[in-house]
Amino acid sequence: MGPQTADVLIVGAGVIGASIAFHLTRLGIKPLLVEKSDPAAGSSGACDGLVFLQSKKPGLHLKLALESRKRFDSLVDQLGSRIEFKNPGGLCLIESESELAAMQLFVAEQRTSGLDVELIDGDEARRREPCLSRKVIAATFSALDSQVNPYALTFAFLRAAESAGARILTGVEVKGIEVASSKATGIFTENRRIGASVVVNAAGALAAEVGRLAGLEIPVTPRRGQILVTAAVPPLLRHCLISAQYVAAKFKPELAAAGGMGFSLEQADSGNILIGSTREFVGFDRRTTFDGIRTIASRIAPVIPALKNVPVIRTFGGLRPYTPDGLPILGKVAGLEGFIMAAGHEGDGIALSAITGELIADLIATGRTQFPLDAFRLERFLEGAA
Amino acid sequence: MDDRKVDVAIVGGGLAGAAAADVLDRHGASVLVLDDNLHPGGQYLRGGRRSGGSLSDRVRRRGLSLIERLPSSSVAIASRAEVLGIEAGFALLVADGNGDLSTVKCERILLATGARERFIPFKGWTLPGVMATGAVQILVKQSGILPERETLVAGAGLFLPTVARDIQKSGGRVPAVLNETSFFQQVPPPGLLVRQFAKFAQGGAMLARLRLAGTAVYSSTRVLEARGDEGLREVVAARVDPKGNVITGTETVYRTGSLAAGFGFTANVELAQLAGCGLAFNSRLGGWVVKVNEELETSVDGVHAAGEITAIGGAAKSLTEGRLAGYGILRRMGLMKPHERREEISALKKLRQRQMAFARYFNSQYTFPQEYLAGWIRGLPGGVPVCRCEEVNLGDIRRAVAEGFDTPAAVKKATRCGMGICQGSTCKTILLDALAAITGKTPAQIPMPSARVPVKPVYLGTLAGGGPWNR
Amino acid sequence: MTELRIKTHRRGKQVALSVNGIPVKAYSGETVFAVLLAEGIRALRRPVKNHSETARGGFCGMGVCQECRVTIDGMPDRRACMTEVREGMEVVTDGR
């Protein structure tokens, strides 16, 4: 027959929903996850596994990411080695004097927010990462930057949650959200109603759709990122890598127009190298395009020439849940009791999954969180418009 | 290869592609044939005239003359050209043999991508020295080289005696041909036997010649294991009963360094999938095939299909369908009026129906009842490799299903089966068969994993536009 | 060395290449895969994941299975069965 009610009902079994479920079970709560397709069928199964601190905006975003990164160390113990968590450190690659100037400012801000970052010259970068070409004139290094297997992480969260009593319905779509007297009291599927005291919107790129079912306007828009996957090759990359280009562009907007696209790379445990990525608003189209994959390839080939001889065997597109200010939407929703937001992580979902799970679980179980969630509330988008 | 614009892009330069190109060219369409092989002609015409094959084979003669006519026609042929993907409009992304990338724009597409071999795995099948039956045929016909002086031939289907005969005619020895199918399964339906008697007589004659040349031919016999250290040294086979159970005590050991193993064919439908064409599963047509109407149009406007991808059915059918598809395309493009060539087209359609009847028999020779195949796979040890590239074995698949991953996409993500450099081309059908055996679902109920660009591996340098070995 | 070349097959002209540094004579029109077999070489590479023990060699012969990958003229992951031999070609097995 299936469950009729749940204390906590989580919409979406991607990495965010799975992490919340895991953390809830550790507080003695047994949630029900309702997943439209399969676990990690959305963005959590179509992304790279970078847990990158250097790409986060200094201030609240970076602080949140640092907290999350800290928790990964104990997560490895709790969830096991199959999440393939690795900490090789990360390099942010600088390719022009303009970028370098911007990055020097950026580094100062990162340090203020508590991230230890080292600025090194091109030769030192090549000494540490021999596959880099002379196009790299400098780089910044953070020892904390890491990578994980996002699909395995999602499943590990779910496995652990299920063995502690959480339940998951897959292939079940939420078609409606029951609201009575400004309180969310359950959801409707194709066939029935499931009552709940708390409903969590962890639907990632589909968070807006779920929000509409509850009468809410949630500004989460899918932003496609295309990724190339190479054949498995012997170890080539010693670090996780990103380009300074789009980070630097925040400080010098002219770089956004002038530069090419930003890139990110990791070599997975399996030996495959993942290379991203485009940033496109194309609705929910997850296909890769000739244009996109050619652009990624031609962007990275001059920087890591050894990649030219490596076969690309697969490409895929993932939809980042984008929000207008780049911060996720977390916490209670004013005017709708019992409805909790946990979506809008825009490309940082994997990295922020650990802290998000903990914060939301704490909020639900105790009403309190380790630090305030005000900056992440849904209402901030309405206030700005006033 | 430079970027190009043509009326019709034909993917595949085998018999179907060549037949269509001929028709299209004679009616004034501009055609580009993109063939991934070293030379056009597909599998049937490997080696062209060099391999000294029989010219009494009418299909072979016709095929050769089509291919040989092409250079003096207006048809452009790109060899060693791999189509990586198709975008609406249409645009094809092509990687050529020099590592260069180009785009082909066209009004209509004919997919004639042929078939590849399909396998049921056995212990030790990844040893050097174990090859697909097609591999041995290609070695012999294209390069004129035998893999070893002696090759054992095993598996299922009508291709086995053909390859054995090719080896013998080339001066090699075939100690035995071991066929899983029972004698009864091999007997054709009486109606078909009568209507296509010449074909079956030819087949019978071939078996007789095989035996005369010293090859033992066995039915109801299964390869259990290929053994060796750095390479194949011996093969263990045994008889199976009508239910497919191995009959203990019938194990025979063949000392050999070369095994040609084949279990039929599967259509190369990946590009069609990528283009959005509807597929259908039909074991009498060879498994997953592209759905086409009588004019050989797919479900996508502008995309046509011909040859093995509409149904595994052999060379003659490919020639027929190539012509039909060519006429269908001309009609759609307005280069031929609706009433033109009506009789020829009608005759071709009738011929196609007859060829489809033989195709259904052909495919029945390597298709087994669900329970038979399930029992066969259940009897395989867990250590038998399923995905050669990622080294995923049958035990890994069984464990994944037990944990709740029961679709190809889910098993793929959980085990990495199909995520290797061959992009699932070898293991896809094995995974489908294994899932059917383990879950009890019919193959038609198991969704084909989707296809993505690139449908063939491509060097990153090629994608980047430089060509990795540009001089 | 047993001669595996079929006498009735019409061959192109002779070419000289090297396999793992050793000079080899072959004929134009033959594939690298075929020539390696003619030289008695059927183990072409180690499995990528390393937890299987046996070496791998060519399997499908038609460019699909990717098992026959060798390094040709410095370029890794070239399919031996899809490449015809050329004068001066350098083939290295077990290259990547």
Side-chain angles (χ1 to χ4, degrees):
Chain A
M1 246 301 294
Q4 304 278 65
T5 66
D7 288 332
V8 180
L9 191 150
I10 302 171
V11 181
V15 75
I16 300 296
S19 175
I20 294 171
F22 167 74
H23 285 92
L24 279 169
T25 57
R26 292 177 74 77
L27 296 175
I29 297 174
K30 302 177 189 192
L32 171 68
L33 293 118
V34 179
E35 162 57 51
K36 172 180 170 176
S37 168
D38 284 314
S43 310
S44 303
C47 61
D48 64 33
L50 293 182
V51 180
F52 227 87
L53 284 315
Q54 292 192 70
S55 55
K56 308 299 175 274
K57 190 168 164 188
L60 198 47
H61 199 212
L62 177 53
K63 289 200 176 126
L64 194 67
L66 279 165
E67 289 297 319
S68 202
R69 172 62 186 83
K70 258 192 268 185
R71 276 127 179 101
F72 267 95
D73 294 324
S74 50
L75 269 181
V76 173
D77 294 327
Q78 290 158 12
L79 299 176
S81 60
R82 62 222 151 113
I83 67 172
E84 296 173 26
F85 182 77
K86 272 198 335 235
N87 184 15
L91 285 172
C92 181
L93 306 177
I94 298 164
E95 296 166 78
S96 74
E97 293 298 330
S98 214
E99 278 176 17
L100 178 56
M103 287 304 286
Q104 277 157 341
L105 297 171
F106 191 57
V107 167
E109 302 225 353
Q110 287 170 308
R111 287 178 179 148
T112 310
S113 283
L115 180 65
D116 189 15
V117 181
E118 191 191 349
L119 181 57
I120 58 179
D121 69 15
D123 290 336
E124 177 60 18
R126 269 177 291 286
R127 199 189 59 77
R128 301 189 192 188
E129 187 66 75
C131 65
L132 298 175
S133 76
R134 301 205 72 81
K135 288 259 185 221
V136 176
I137 65 167
T140 56
F141 169 77
S142 159
L144 281 179
D145 290 332
S146 316
Q147 61 190 72
V148 73
N149 181 324
Y151 187 77
L153 177 65
T154 305
F155 268 88
F157 276 137
L158 282 173
R159 282 280 141 65
E162 279 179 290
S163 51
R167 287 162 307 166
I168 175 168
L169 296 175
T170 56
V172 177
E173 188 176 351
V174 173
K175 298 282 208 185
I177 294 179
E178 189 183 65
V179 175
S181 312
S182 302
K183 187 175 181 332
T185 50
I187 62 126
F188 295 102
T189 69
E190 178 93 40
N191 301 314
R192 60 195 158 104
R193 169 195 180 272
I194 305 177
S197 310
V198 176
V199 175
V200 181
N201 183 355
L206 293 166
E209 241 176 67
V210 170
R212 255 172 254 128
L213 298 174
L216 296 169
E217 273 303 309
I218 298 174
V220 170
T221 325
R223 196 187 209 186
R224 182 172 71 190
Q226 301 187 36
I227 294 185
L228 309 185
V229 182
T230 72
V233 290
L236 176 66
L237 303 183
R238 296 185 186 177
H239 302 79
C240 334
L241 301 171
I242 62 169
S243 65
Q245 196 272 336
Y246 60 76
V247 166
K250 288 186 183 142
F251 287 80
K252 291 202 161 208
E254 63 268 28
L255 287 173
M261 96 196 341
F263 58 74
S264 56
L265 294 95
E266 60 162 320
Q267 185 160 20
D269 262 21
S270 55
N272 306 77
I273 298 177
L274 278 70
I275 310 164
S277 169
T278 59
R279 295 177 116 74
E280 311 157 274
F281 290 109
V282 289
F284 289 90
D285 185 354
R286 289 174 55 167
R287 288 175 301 180
T288 50
T289 61
F290 294 169
D291 232 19
I293 69 180
R294 292 173 78 167
T295 304
I296 296 170
S298 36
R299 180 72 180 89
I300 200 61
V303 179
I304 305 179
L307 283 176
K308 292 199 283 190
N309 295 358
V310 178
V312 172
I313 61 174
R314 186 161 55 250
T315 62
F316 59 81
L319 300 174
R320 303 181 190 84
Y322 165 92
T323 63
D325 62 6
L327 293 175
I329 306 173
L330 306 172
K332 295 184 176 171
V333 171
L336 186 58
E337 211 185 313
F339 189 84
I340 307 240
M341 283 299 304
H345 292 80
E346 218 270 329
D348 300 320
I350 303 302
L352 297 177
S353 62
I355 192 64
T356 302
E358 189 183 296
L359 288 169
I360 300 296
D362 282 343
L363 180 67
I364 292 171
T366 70
R368 292 183 310 279
T369 52
Q370 190 178 32
F371 43 87
L373 296 182
D374 294 21
F376 304 108
R377 68 193 184 288
L378 174 63
E379 295 73 39
R380 71 188 192 264
F381 299 108
L382 307 168
E383 285 146 21
Chain B
M1 209 182 91
D2 296 322
D3 287 350
R4 284 194 235 201
K5 197 169 189 314
V6 288
D7 290 336
V8 186
I10 299 179
V11 186
L15 291 180
D22 181 65
V23 164
L24 289 164
D25 180 57
R26 288 181 197 270
H27 286 77
S30 69
V31 180
L32 170 62
V33 175
L34 296 153
D35 187 58
D36 62 5
N37 253 313
L38 292 157
H39 310 282
Q43 306 314 326
Y44 202 72
L45 298 178
R46 286 274 183 173
R49 292 186 192 271
R50 281 180 299 137
S51 62
S54 166
L55 282 173
S56 64
D57 177 348
R58 202 157 42 100
V59 172
R60 185 156 181 273
R61 268 201 328 270
R62 174 104 188 96
L64 280 172
S65 84
L66 277 173
I67 300 288
E68 286 163 1
R69 188 196 157 258
L70 286 176
S72 54
S73 71
S74 313
V75 175
I77 306 183
S79 289
R80 302 174 73 207
E82 296 183 302
V83 177
L84 306 176
I86 297 175
E87 281 186 346
F90 296 100
L92 288 77
L93 192 64
V94 183
D96 73 22
N98 296 322
D100 287 323
L101 195 72
S102 60
T103 311
V104 174
K105 290 205 161 80
C106 62
E107 211 183 299
R108 304 198 86 89
I109 297 175
L110 171 62
L111 296 174
T113 45
R116 59 186 189 271
E117 283 188 85
R118 161 200 181 243
F119 306 97
I120 314 279
F122 47 87
K123 195 166 173 204
W125 71 295
T126 57
L127 276 171
V130 178
M131 275 185 243
T133 39
V136 176
Q137 189 186 58
I138 290 167
L139 283 167
V140 159
K141 287 168 84 168
Q142 184 173 338
S143 297
I145 290 173
L146 287 162
E148 287 259 342
R149 283 240 70 89
E150 255 193 34
T151 297
L152 185 68
V153 177
L158 292 177
F159 198 45
L160 301 183
T162 306
V163 171
R165 202 55 204 129
D166 285 337
I167 295 169
Q168 281 181 345
K169 288 195 288 194
S170 307
R173 263 204 76 226
V174 180
V177 174
L178 311 174
N179 196 330
E180 171 83 25
T181 55
S182 69
F183 177 74
F184 287 112
Q185 188 173 348
Q186 292 168 37
V187 173
L192 188 69
L193 178 60
V194 165
R195 278 193 302 277
Q196 308 210 21
F197 185 75
K199 223 180 185 116
F200 287 106
Q202 222 173 45
M206 176 158 51
L207 280 171
R209 279 192 215 103
L210 264 179
R211 288 190 167 103
L212 273 172
T215 298
V217 180
Y218 296 116
S219 301
S220 301
T221 305
R222 178 183 302 170
V223 170
L224 296 182
E225 188 179 352
R227 289 184 187 150
D229 304 303
E230 275 308 285
L232 181 67
R233 201 185 53 239
E234 60 191 24
V235 173
V236 184
R239 288 188 60 79
V240 293
D241 69 20
K243 290 213 169 75
N245 301 314
V246 174
I247 304 172
T248 40
T250 65
E251 289 85 2
T252 313
V253 178
Y254 294 89
R255 282 203 75 82
T256 181
S258 175
L259 169 63
F263 297 83
F265 301 91
T266 186
N268 294 326
V269 299
E270 287 72 20
L271 256 188
Q273 257 185 300
L274 189 64
C277 302
L279 304 182
F281 183 89
N282 186 335
S283 55
R284 299 202 316 160
L285 301 182
W288 283 101
V289 294
V290 182
K291 279 203 290 227
V292 291
N293 62 15
E294 263 207 332
E295 279 68 43
L296 299 174
E297 296 168 328
T298 71
S299 62
V300 174
D301 191 25
V303 181
H304 304 246
E308 303 284 71
I309 61 170
T310 70
I312 307 293
K317 170 183 164 291
S318 294
L319 280 177
T320 306
E321 288 194 352
R323 279 192 89 69
L324 266 174
Y327 287 133
I329 293 170
L330 288 169
R331 280 226 189 107
R332 284 289 181 193
M333 290 180 65
L335 289 173
M336 214 172 81
K337 308 237 190 348
H339 61 266
E340 255 182 272
R341 301 217 171 237
R342 221 176 24 192
E343 272 165 34
E344 183 187 345
I345 290 171
S346 179
L348 283 170
K349 286 182 180 174
K350 288 204 186 81
L351 177 59
R352 180 174 177 246
Q353 289 314 313
R354 287 202 299 281
Q355 288 163 342
M356 288 295 268
F358 183 77
R360 285 189 283 273
Y361 169 75
F362 182 85
N363 294 317
S364 76
Q365 294 305 294
Y366 57 85
T367 304
F368 300 92
Q370 172 130 5
E371 200 29 60
Y372 185 105
L373 187 56
W376 181 353
I377 291 173
R378 265 198 299 271
L380 295 175
V384 170
V386 170
C387 172
R388 298 171 64 116
C389 299
E390 292 288 316
E391 296 163 50
V392 180
N393 60 35
L394 191 54
D396 298 324
I397 308 290
R398 288 171 176 149
R399 263 187 301 279
V401 176
E403 288 177 13
F405 301 97
D406 59 0
T407 61
V411 170
K412 195 171 172 173
K413 280 211 156 119
T415 64
R416 297 190 62 79
C417 176
M419 289 175 86
I421 190 172
C422 92
Q423 302 171 304
S425 61
T426 310
C427 67
K428 201 180 296 188
T429 52
I430 303 175
L431 179 59
L432 291 176
D433 287 335
L435 285 176
I438 299 168
T439 65
K441 293 196 186 130
T442 65
Q445 293 171 319
I446 299 173
M448 265 282 261
S450 55
R452 289 199 211 97
V453 175
V455 299
K456 301 261 168 97
V458 55
Y459 290 109
L460 187 141
T462 298
L463 281 180
W469 56 89
N470 255 355
R471 306 212 203 296
Chain C
M1 179 69 238
T2 347
E3 182 51 65
L4 295 171
R5 284 188 166 81
I6 299 164
K7 295 191 175 37
T8 49
H9 191 93
R10 292 207 298 276
R11 275 164 223 288
K13 62 178 176 45
Q14 207 176 67
V15 297
L17 57 146
S18 80
V19 174
N20 296 328
I22 298 167
V24 162
K25 287 203 180 69
Y27 296 86
S28 147
E30 297 173 347
T31 63
V32 173
F33 178 43
V35 170
L36 289 170
L37 284 171
E39 298 297 311
I41 301 170
R42 55 184 187 172
L44 300 181
R45 55 181 196 86
R46 291 268 131 216
V48 176
K49 303 282 155 161
N50 291 324
H51 49 251
S52 123
E53 272 142 39
T54 55
R56 297 290 178 89
F59 177 70
C60 79
M62 54 187 283
V64 162
C65 74
Q66 313 286 330
E67 293 275 49
C68 65
R69 305 193 310 275
V70 293
T71 300
I72 296 178
D73 295 336
M75 192 68 182
D77 293 326
R78 297 282 302 278
R79 291 164 297 172
C81 71
M82 294 295 277
T83 314
E84 280 175 346
V85 291
R86 257 190 17 258
E87 181 72 25
M89 182 179 269
E90 287 174 6
V91 178
V92 176
T93 63
D94 215 8
R96 166 131 78 192

